[in-house]
């Protein structure tokens, strides 16, 4: 077991190094050895796929690896965010693919080393030194890379079908990215690393991605419906199995958003109102946060007597229209969101003094605009009022 | 092959020209051209690789100066890369060409170029959109993680669009015009055997546009059928039904494929044949009358062309049995009237023939057979409807349900028939649907005689092979009886051998004295009989074990004699 963990460590280092300039010093022997390790670990993955003590120990080893400070020339925070490093048990199953691709894409890798790699990627290699078992594994690697190329070509072909306009392909791309995000979050969660790991990752994304992009992906990830799988069995080759992703991964994302005012503010400010409403409808915690924030901003609106409209004065410059749109969508939602929204609006209106005249309280005007305005005193009866006519009817019947 | 390698330079030029032409045009016609040539291209690439694998870069360039152009253009054509094993072979070729120690600028350039091509094939690149890779890279994922998911989502999106399109049916605005659907089907042609594409294949197959004419391109339909028959893809039954309903050549090909498979197998046991036939999905989709009629037409032709050999008869009978099972089991679906399957026959006859003997107690089989005989006789002897074709149709119908004839033969020997004449008539009709009255009369006389002599054998003890040979008509020099009477006699004789204790003892001895052809006939009869007994659950009422042992011994004997 010790030896296994040691090899795991060394291979993880090798894999990480394969994408850096350190790989420039590798020669034929190093490449051959690293491929052999990759093959061996793939065997290990195959043998211990069923969750058990060995798998647990390996995952523990991987966790420790991630937490170790990276002394190498690995630019970026200690969160190993670059491609390549082994993060999960599933990664062991495709270590050889990752290694091959890493070396291929790495400009620092020199001629002889790459030649050695390419030698392994074709059937007859001219040097019958390896035994049969390796041959089978190598065939496996070749087949998997070929399948990758095939799938890539298939994506290119089908892309044309999604529509002549590149924008028509966006939903598919966003969904894919959202799935990858959730998968990554799940990996972190399963690894039971320090609780900050997911937060670090999300922080990184927040910093690295352009805002619109970030918005799209995060919204998509939160709204993603699990796709029904025809076969019910657990498919370990596809770690992004939708049925596993659901609550836990999105929870991490949710927690992070709720803890980051800037992110919350971005969502409230920039997301289209219907989308914001769907998010709120799906996640009650978000609904509460949104309502609080919107209410807070709404409080900063002031009535411009000259123009006769409400104008945003706070730092967010939130416009009346935006506020109204958001609340309108919230009220149109079929779930409890509607009543929650009305409750908030009415309570703020009460705080303002429940004036009926326009221009005095932004909440009154909002309620009027939404068609939800009930003059004070009747608001509470509004719910029970519906029952009244029936009783009256009964009384009137001869 | 030597000839192929000689042709290689010529072929090379041909394929290079093709590659250039495909590069420049993105029309439907050029795409169709690519799809048409994909199988041969793969063979050619295989040949190129076989040549390249023994060479290094300088040699390769000398042999194929334009190899770079060819490989480069092909690698950038997703139709080519998406097909079967093209991508694998192209990668192998590239790996062959890479120089370990580049000696000159050309080789250096080549190395860089090879590397970039490989990266193009395998890595995430810009799919024509900006910053595509950013998020996946930020998350630490590369192409092996990205592309499978992307493809799955693309397929999902397209399938959903197709379904919605379908539902929108008669509304004015369709999301996808029919022309686009045709393009979609063409784009799927190279990708048919890729498992991720399967949902899209099924959605396309079950998609129907507004117009009566076919919107899917024929390359797609043929390709799917071929892949299905070669068992390279697994389709749902509804998809297969859809395919065969909308594309007649596919259905015909599937039926012929089944036929060839069944006939080319040397040792054909009824159980295996039944499995095979059920696997082909044909009996189940044949519950749709149009499909049944076409398959039946192919059977009819086969029967006529081979003059009614027993192999074809057997296939028809097993097929019909599987079909009847499927037909009767399909409770939810609308049942088509029987006449739509057998338009030339009377419904009453079809109904009695369709009766599964398993659903009747064995004691009533005789009665049922009498009934069948009665109906058939009436039809056959009715002067007003008598015509050559009509008679053939009724005989053709009857042989579909040949099981009843087998049961008739058995019942005749078990002496349960009150009027053996009716059963004998059935059996005689099975073997010879003659249309001339005198011939029929003569046939009945011969049949009665044969039956009589066999019944006498029951009382003869000890029984000798000579007695059997006498009945089979072999002792006389020239057996003047018609072949069909001989077959009828052998059928009855075999039943005797299986059912009488005396017959058991000399069965093997007798059969081994027969010619190969006749011995085979007996073997097949025994195999079918034992299978029938086990299917109908009457093994305990019949000497099932004895029959099986006999069969085994005979098979061993046959194998030995074949080897010697």
């Amino acid at each position: 077991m010790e030896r296994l963990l040691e090899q795991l460590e060394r291979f993880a280092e090798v894999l990480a190094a394969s994408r850096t300039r350190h790989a420039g010093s590798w020669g034929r022997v190093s490449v051959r050895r690293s491929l052999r390790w990759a093959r061996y670990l793939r065997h290990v993955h195959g043998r211990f796929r069923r969750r058990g003590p060995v798998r647990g120990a390996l995952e523990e080893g991987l966790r420790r690896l991630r937490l170790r400070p990276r002394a190498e020339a690995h630019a970026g925070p200690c969160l190993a965010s670059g491609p390549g490093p082994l993060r999960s048990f599933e990664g062991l199953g495709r270590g050889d693919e990752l290694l091959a691709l890493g070396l291929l894409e790495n400009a620092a890798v020199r001629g002889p080393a790459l030649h050695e790699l390419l030698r392994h990627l074709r059937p007859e290699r001219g040097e019958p030194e390896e035994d049969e078992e390796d041959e089978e594994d190598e065939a496996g690697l070749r087949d998997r890379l070929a399948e990758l190329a095939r799938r890539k070509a298939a994506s290119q072909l089908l892309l044309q079908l999604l529509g002549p306009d590149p924008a028509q392909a966006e939903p598919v791309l966003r969904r894919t990215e959202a799935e990858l995000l959730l998968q990554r979050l799940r990996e972190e969660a399963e690894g039971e690393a320090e609780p900050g790991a997911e937060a670090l990752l999300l922080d990184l994304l927040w910093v690295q991605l352009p805002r619109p992009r970030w918005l799209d992906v995060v919204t998509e990830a939160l709204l993603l419906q699990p796709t029904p799988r025809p076969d019910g069995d657990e498919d370990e080759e596809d770690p992004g199995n939708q049925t596993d992703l659901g609550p836990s991964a999105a929870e991490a994302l949710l927690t992070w958003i709720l803890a980051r005012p800037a992110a919350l503010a971005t969502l409230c400010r920039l997301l289209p109102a219907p989308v914001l409403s769907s998010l709120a409808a799906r996640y009650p915690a978000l609904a509460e946060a949104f309502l609080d924030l919107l209410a807070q901003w709404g409080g900063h609106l002031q009535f411009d007597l000259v123009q006769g409209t409400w104008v945003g004065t706070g730092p967010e410059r939130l416009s009346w229209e935006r506020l109204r749109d958001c609340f309108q969508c919230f009220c149109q939602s079929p779930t409890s969101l509607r009543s929650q929204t009305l409750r908030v609006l009415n309570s703020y209106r009460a705080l303002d003094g429940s004036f009926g005249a326009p221009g005095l309280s932004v909440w009154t005007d909002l309620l009027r605009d939404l068609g939800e305005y009930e003059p004070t005193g009747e608001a509470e009866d509004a719910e029970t009022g519906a029952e009244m006519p029936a009783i009256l009817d009964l009384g009137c019947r001869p | 092959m030597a000839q192929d390698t000689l042709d290689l330079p010529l072929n090379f030029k041909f394929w290079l020209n093709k590659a250039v032409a495909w590069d420049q045009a993105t029309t439907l016609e050029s795409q169709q051209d690519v799809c048409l040539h994909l199988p041969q291209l793969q063979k050619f690439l295989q040949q190129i690789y076989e040549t390249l694998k023994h060479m290094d870069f300088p040699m390769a360039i000398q042999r194929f100066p334009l190899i770079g152009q060819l490989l480069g253009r092909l690698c950038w054509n997703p139709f080519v890369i998406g097909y079967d094993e093209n991508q694998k072979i192209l990668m192998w070729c590239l790996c062959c060409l890479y120089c370990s120690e580049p000696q000159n600028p050309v080789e250096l350039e080549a190395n860089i170029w090879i590397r970039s091509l490989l990266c193009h094939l395998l890595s995430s690149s810009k799919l024509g959109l900006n910053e595509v890779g950013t998020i996946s890279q930020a998350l630490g994922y590369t192409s092996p993680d990205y592309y499978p998911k992307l493809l799955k989502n693309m397929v999902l999106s397209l399938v959903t669009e197709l379904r919605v399109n379908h539902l929108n049916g008669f509304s004015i605005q369709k999301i996808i015009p029919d022309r686009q659907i045709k393009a979609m089907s063409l784009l799927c042609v190279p990708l048919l055997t890729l498992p991720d594409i399967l949902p899209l294949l099924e959605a396309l197959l079950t998609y129907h546009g507004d117009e009566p004419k076919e919107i899917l391109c024929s390359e797609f339909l043929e390709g799917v059928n071929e892949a299905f028959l070669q068992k390279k893809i697994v389709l749902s039954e509804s998809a297969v039904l859809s395919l065969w309903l909308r594309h007649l050549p596919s259905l015909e090909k599937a039926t012929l494929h089944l036929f060839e498979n069944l006939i080319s197998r040397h040792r054909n046991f009824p159980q295996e044949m039944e499995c095979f036939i059920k696997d082909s999905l044909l009996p189940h989709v044949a519950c749709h009358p149009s499909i049944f009629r076409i398959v039946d037409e192919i059977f009819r032709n086969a029967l006529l062309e081979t003059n009614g050999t027993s192999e074809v008869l057997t296939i028809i009978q097993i097929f019909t049995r599987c079909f009847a099972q499927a037909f009767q089991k399909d409770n939810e679906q609308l049942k088509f009237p029987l006449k739509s399957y057998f338009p030339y026959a009377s419904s009453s006859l079809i109904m009695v023939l369709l009766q599964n003997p398993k659903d009747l107690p064995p004691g009533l089989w005789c009665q049922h057979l009498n009934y069948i005989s009665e109906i058939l006789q009436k039809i056959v002897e009715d002067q007003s409807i008598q015509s050559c074709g009509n008679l053939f149709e009724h005989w053709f119908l009857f042989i579909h349900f040949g099981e009843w004839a087998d049961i008739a033969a058995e019942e005749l020997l078990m002496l349960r028939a009150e009027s053996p004449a009716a059963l004998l008539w059935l059996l005689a009709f099975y073997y010879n649907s003659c249309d001339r009255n005198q011939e029929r009369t003569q046939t009945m006389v011969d049949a009665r005689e044969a039956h009589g002599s066999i019944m006498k054998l029951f009382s003869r003890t000890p029984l000798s092979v000579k007695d059997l040979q006498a009945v089979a008509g072999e002792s006389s020099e020239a057996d003047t009886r018609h072949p069909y009477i001989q077959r009828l006699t052998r059928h009855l004789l075999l039943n005797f051998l299986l059912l009488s204790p005396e017959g058991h003892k000399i069965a093997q001895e007798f059969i081994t004295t027969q010619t190969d052809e006749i011995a085979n006939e007996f073997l097949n009869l025994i195999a079918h009989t034992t299978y029938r007994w086990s299917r109908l659950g009457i093994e305990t009422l019949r000497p099932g074990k004895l029959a099986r042992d006999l069969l085994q011994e005979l098979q061993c004997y046959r194998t030995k004699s074949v080897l010697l």
Side-chain angles (χ1 to χ4, degrees):
Chain A
M1 195 64 226
E2 284 297 315
R3 216 163 69 85
L4 184 55
L5 286 172
E6 205 182 288
Q7 278 162 334
L8 186 70
E9 253 181 65
R10 293 172 76 184
F11 181 68
E13 281 170 19
V14 157
L15 194 56
S18 70
R19 288 188 177 261
T20 67
R21 54 185 168 78
H22 287 264
S25 60
W26 289 11
R28 286 182 174 280
V29 177
S30 319
V31 171
R32 211 176 298 160
R33 201 185 307 143
S34 54
L35 281 172
R36 208 175 292 144
W37 286 355
R39 272 202 304 274
Y40 170 64
L41 285 173
R42 194 181 142 79
H43 269 302
V44 166
H45 171 260
R47 267 205 69 198
F48 299 110
R49 274 168 83 177
R50 304 275 161 238
R51 297 177 191 279
V54 179
R55 176 168 169 162
L58 286 169
E59 283 176 334
E60 176 69 39
L62 284 168
R63 230 173 285 145
R64 273 190 265 115
L65 274 174
R66 288 215 300 275
L67 301 180
R68 195 184 303 166
R70 312 210 64 83
E72 306 295 316
H74 209 80
C78 58
L79 177 76
S81 66
L86 279 183
R87 271 185 308 277
S88 64
F89 185 73
E90 275 96 26
L92 288 179
R94 43 165 65 136
D96 50 359
E97 276 177 76
L98 294 174
L99 182 65
L101 286 171
L103 290 172
L104 197 60
E105 293 171 6
N106 189 351
V109 174
R110 283 208 248 102
L114 195 68
H115 185 254
E116 182 64 27
L117 172 69
L118 293 184
R119 211 170 61 88
H120 284 264
L121 293 185
R122 63 181 179 98
E124 291 86 5
R125 284 180 269 119
E127 291 172 40
E129 66 202 43
E130 278 98 43
D131 52 330
E132 247 185 53
E133 247 183 51
D134 286 351
E135 181 51 46
E136 255 180 59
D137 293 328
E138 302 258 297
L141 173 62
R142 288 196 292 270
D143 287 339
R144 273 173 290 127
L145 287 176
E147 197 178 45
L148 177 62
R150 197 172 183 199
R151 283 180 164 148
K152 181 174 172 185
S155 321
Q156 285 173 321
L157 283 178
L158 293 186
L159 189 71
Q160 304 173 31
L161 291 174
L162 289 173
D165 186 9
Q168 282 169 298
E170 291 278 318
V172 172
L173 296 173
R174 288 299 90 77
R175 192 197 164 104
T176 311
E177 289 162 355
E179 284 178 0
L180 286 175
L181 172 60
L182 289 176
Q183 180 179 321
R184 185 64 203 279
L185 287 173
R186 189 192 71 152
E187 277 174 13
E188 298 289 338
E190 268 191 359
E192 280 162 40
E194 52 188 60
E198 293 138 321
L200 274 174
L201 171 70
L202 290 167
D203 278 337
L204 198 71
L205 277 183
W206 170 256
V207 162
Q208 281 185 355
L209 294 176
R211 200 59 70 235
R213 215 46 201 292
W214 179 90
L215 265 178
D216 283 339
V217 170
V218 163
T219 316
E220 183 72 36
L222 285 172
L223 288 176
L224 206 59
Q225 299 289 343
T227 46
R229 275 184 74 85
D231 46 350
D233 57 331
E234 190 183 277
D235 187 358
E236 294 260 347
E237 290 299 333
D238 177 15
N241 187 335
Q242 291 295 114
T243 51
D244 282 0
L245 285 178
S248 60
E251 283 301 314
L253 187 53
L254 197 61
T255 321
W256 182 85
I257 291 178
L258 291 173
R260 297 276 184 292
L264 205 62
T266 308
L267 286 175
C268 279
R269 199 194 352 250
L270 294 177
L271 272 184
V275 180
L276 196 68
S277 170
S278 335
L279 275 180
R282 193 153 172 193
Y283 299 100
L286 268 185
E288 211 175 299
F290 286 160
L291 284 171
D292 279 343
L293 195 58
L294 286 171
Q296 201 180 0
W297 289 346
H300 293 159
L301 285 176
Q302 285 179 5
F303 194 69
D304 185 339
L305 284 166
V306 176
Q307 293 177 16
T309 55
W310 290 91
V311 211
T313 58
E316 301 83 18
R317 297 255 163 219
L318 188 78
S319 69
W320 157 264
E321 286 74 23
R322 172 74 184 167
L323 201 65
R324 184 207 47 211
D325 288 340
C326 288
F327 279 114
Q328 188 166 47
C329 288
F330 281 19
C331 285
Q332 284 168 351
S333 163
T335 66
S336 60
L337 180 61
R338 177 189 151 84
S339 46
Q340 194 179 3
T341 312
L342 285 175
R343 220 177 316 127
V344 164
L345 286 173
N346 278 313
S347 72
Y348 272 88
R349 193 191 80 178
L351 281 173
D352 267 359
S354 293
F355 293 115
L360 290 171
S361 161
V362 66
W363 308 111
T364 313
D365 288 349
L366 259 179
L367 282 166
R368 271 191 197 284
D369 214 40
L370 296 173
E372 304 284 356
Y373 176 73
E374 311 281 347
T376 328
E378 293 167 35
E380 294 87 65
D381 297 333
E383 299 260 313
T384 55
E387 297 165 350
M388 293 286 289
I391 300 169
L392 281 171
D393 258 352
L394 277 172
C396 290
R397 232 170 257 161
Chain B
M1 292 190 290
Q3 191 179 25
D4 279 349
T5 49
L6 278 175
D7 287 340
L8 214 48
L10 268 152
N11 285 343
F12 194 95
K13 207 164 165 54
F14 170 75
W15 287 112
L16 183 59
N17 288 336
K18 276 286 178 204
V20 171
W22 292 340
D23 243 7
Q24 287 157 2
T26 45
T27 60
L28 197 71
E29 287 73 27
S30 76
Q31 288 178 350
Q32 276 172 326
D33 193 46
V34 182
C35 292
L36 202 65
H37 286 93
L38 283 171
Q40 296 117 298
L41 177 61
Q42 184 161 299
K43 287 204 190 76
F44 169 71
L45 287 176
Q46 192 82 45
Q47 283 176 10
I48 292 279
Y49 173 67
E50 293 296 320
T51 322
L52 279 182
K53 71 185 182 190
H54 303 300
M55 302 177 172
D56 60 3
F57 184 74
M59 281 172 67
I61 286 294
Q62 200 176 40
R63 181 95 161 81
F64 304 114
L66 297 172
I67 186 87
Q69 268 212 43
L70 179 69
L71 293 181
R73 284 179 193 277
L74 289 178
C75 280
W76 279 87
N77 190 330
F79 273 91
V80 170
I81 300 296
Y83 178 75
D84 209 20
E85 304 211 318
N86 278 349
Q87 71 291 129
K88 212 189 284 194
I89 305 173
L90 281 167
M91 275 165 52
W92 295 345
C93 292
L94 289 172
C95 291
C96 285
L97 291 174
Y98 193 82
C99 314
S100 144
E101 317 269 317
Q103 304 290 344
N104 53 54
V106 175
E107 294 184 3
L108 263 168
E109 270 299 312
N111 275 4
I112 297 173
W113 171 83
I114 290 174
R115 199 167 184 170
S116 74
L117 262 185
L118 284 171
C119 281
H120 161 73
L121 285 177
L122 296 171
S123 315
S124 332
S125 69
K126 302 192 188 305
L127 273 180
L129 299 157
N130 295 323
E131 301 168 52
V132 162
T134 311
I135 291 181
S136 34
Q137 279 168 23
L139 290 172
Y141 288 124
T142 49
S143 37
D145 306 294
Y146 183 69
Y147 281 111
K149 271 207 182 10
L150 180 65
L151 189 58
K152 176 192 67 121
N153 283 329
M154 276 184 176
V155 168
L156 199 64
S157 172
L158 287 169
V159 167
T160 315
E161 272 184 46
L162 276 174
R163 296 243 170 85
V164 172
N165 219 39
H166 204 169
L167 288 174
N168 274 345
F170 295 103
S171 71
I172 311 158
Q173 274 291 1
K174 262 205 187 163
I175 306 176
I176 320 181
D178 281 357
R179 192 180 18 91
Q180 178 96 343
I181 305 238
K182 183 167 186 161
M184 203 185 287
S185 64
L186 189 63
L187 283 174
C188 287
V189 170
L191 307 172
L192 288 177
T193 52
L194 190 57
D196 311 58
I197 297 292
L198 195 59
L200 185 56
L201 291 185
E202 301 224 340
L204 279 170
L205 283 174
T206 48
Y207 179 87
H208 299 281
D210 289 336
E211 301 176 28
K213 70 177 162 77
E214 182 58 71
I215 44 170
L216 297 178
C217 69
S218 54
E219 292 90 347
F220 172 77
L221 293 166
E222 282 165 18
V224 172
N225 194 42
E226 193 59 42
F228 175 71
L229 291 178
Q230 307 287 345
K231 303 241 185 280
K232 287 187 184 161
I233 57 177
V234 178
L235 291 171
S236 71
E237 259 187 52
S238 56
V240 173
L241 175 67
S242 217
L243 168 66
W244 287 339
L245 272 176
R246 70 201 293 169
H247 194 231
L248 182 60
S250 291
L251 174 61
E252 289 174 350
K253 197 148 188 220
T255 314
L256 289 171
H257 177 90
L258 176 66
F259 233 94
E260 280 161 18
N261 270 337
L262 287 172
I263 293 201
S264 68
R265 295 151 68 85
H266 297 293
R267 236 333 116 74
N268 253 330
F269 291 116
Q271 296 95 312
E272 290 171 13
M273 287 174 76
E274 193 169 308
C275 261
F276 225 82
I277 291 179
K278 279 198 178 136
D279 273 349
S280 74
L281 293 187
L282 274 168
H284 201 263
V285 300
C287 289
H288 207 285
S290 1
I291 294 194
F292 183 88
R293 294 272 293 277
I294 292 176
V295 173
D296 213 32
E297 184 65 33
I298 296 180
F299 286 157
R300 187 186 280 111
N301 289 333
L303 203 62
L304 289 169
E305 275 171 37
T306 59
N307 269 326
T309 53
S310 57
E311 283 101 341
V312 178
L313 279 175
T314 313
I315 295 176
I316 297 177
Q317 280 160 16
I318 300 185
F319 180 87
T320 313
R321 207 167 46 231
C322 297
F323 159 72
Q325 256 176 26
F327 180 77
Q328 274 147 356
K329 201 167 31 170
D330 233 350
N331 287 318
E332 300 103 32
Q333 279 193 341
L334 268 139
K335 287 234 183 104
F336 294 94
L338 290 175
K339 201 112 172 94
S340 48
Y341 299 99
F342 300 102
Y344 305 113
S346 74
S347 328
S348 49
L349 179 60
I350 304 172
M351 278 195 65
V352 286
L353 285 174
L354 206 56
Q355 171 73 50
N356 192 347
K358 199 165 181 174
D359 298 331
L360 283 177
L364 288 178
W365 288 345
C366 237
Q367 193 179 20
H368 195 80
L369 283 166
N370 278 333
Y371 191 36
I372 297 177
S373 184
E374 196 180 306
I375 298 183
L376 259 177
Q377 279 191 53
K378 207 185 329 190
I379 293 175
V380 164
E381 284 159 13
D382 187 343
Q383 295 289 341
S384 59
I385 63 163
Q386 197 164 90
S387 65
C388 204
N390 213 335
L391 190 65
F392 172 77
E393 289 303 326
H394 283 96
W395 175 80
F396 186 55
L397 173 67
F398 181 46
I399 62 108
H400 275 72
F401 302 92
E403 193 171 46
W404 283 113
D406 292 336
I407 296 178
E410 213 171 85
E411 295 286 319
L412 273 172
L413 286 182
M414 292 176 76
L415 269 184
R416 281 211 288 257
E418 298 119 18
S419 55
L423 272 60
L424 260 179
W425 188 93
L426 258 188
L427 205 57
F429 181 68
Y430 180 79
Y431 280 108
N432 180 26
S433 61
C434 52
D435 55 348
R436 289 178 290 281
N437 264 329
Q438 297 98 327
E439 205 180 305
R440 189 170 300 123
T441 325
Q442 181 60 40
T443 309
M444 281 309 291
V445 166
D446 289 337
R448 264 194 292 269
E449 200 182 301
H451 181 231
S453 17
I454 294 178
M455 295 312 285
K456 288 207 195 86
L457 290 177
F458 271 106
S459 46
R460 183 158 325 198
T461 51
L463 201 54
S464 75
V465 174
K466 272 218 178 51
D467 298 325
L468 297 173
Q469 282 172 339
V471 170
E474 289 154 32
S475 46
S476 53
E477 281 95 38
D479 190 353
T480 54
R481 300 178 304 172
H482 276 282
Y484 49 80
I485 282 292
Q486 291 176 0
R487 280 207 292 274
L488 188 152
T489 313
R490 285 198 287 270
H491 195 164
L492 288 172
L493 195 56
L494 181 76
N495 274 295
F496 166 75
L497 290 174
L498 290 176
L499 293 171
S500 98
E502 286 291 320
H504 287 149
K505 296 182 198 154
I506 53 170
Q508 185 173 0
E509 206 189 311
F510 170 65
I511 294 178
T512 51
T513 62
Q514 302 298 310
T515 65
D516 280 352
E517 204 182 306
I518 296 184
N520 262 335
E521 194 184 303
F522 278 124
L523 259 171
N524 280 331
L525 268 173
I526 302 178
H528 283 276
T529 311
T530 49
Y531 186 48
R532 175 165 47 87
W533 288 346
S534 80
R535 257 187 307 110
L536 297 179
I538 52 174
E539 267 191 314
T540 45
L541 304 171
R542 303 276 187 279
K545 185 170 183 319
L546 281 157
R548 276 199 304 278
D549 290 341
L550 176 63
L551 186 62
Q552 231 173 7
E553 285 163 18
L554 283 170
Q555 276 163 10
C556 288
Y557 180 82
R558 294 281 303 132
T559 329
K560 267 190 244 157
S561 63
V562 162
L563 291 171
L564 285 171

